[in-house]
Amino acid sequence: MNCSKVVRRIAIDAGVQQFITHTTRHLCLTDLARTGWELHAIATFAGHRSTETTLTCIHPSERELADKLARGMDRIHSWRVEMLAADRRCQPWSTKVEARTQCVQSCWKAESPRIGTKPMCQS
């Protein structure tokens, strides 16, 4: 009896009809995604040629997705508050939109600011 049949028999006896040996592969790839592995690294590990295939094997829970969305929205909100604070620091210097925009941009790194980074200027 091969491994797949043994696993299948144990699953049926345990009342988990949908569990097969391939389920463990999906669980492993999902766990790698949960620990922060990048999609391309997971695809390489799994031997997939396409990340699209890997995406079909990763199954995050609804709670994980909701938590990730909430964390992302918190970071975006914090970043917006910081940008508004930088704008307020620049307002007294100029009422012209172009000058105020330049002031706000000078408060942030020359590159496109990443969410959650701190402004370079302090009031």
Side-chain angles (χ1 to χ4, degrees), residues 101-119:
T101 301
Q102 186 177 10
C103 174
V104 170
Q105 289 173 345
S106 71
C107 287
W108 293 82
K109 296 180 181 175
E111 305 152 13
S112 176
R114 290 187 307 159
I115 295 173
T117 58
K118 298 289 184 192

Side-chain angles (χ1 to χ4, degrees), residues 80-98:
R80 285 182 179 156
V81 168
E82 289 173 10
M83 285 299 289
L84 290 170
D87 186 49
R88 276 191 228 110
R89 285 193 296 271
C90 294
Q91 281 179 354
W93 300 347
S94 175
T95 56
K96 292 184 179 178
V97 173
E98 296 84 16

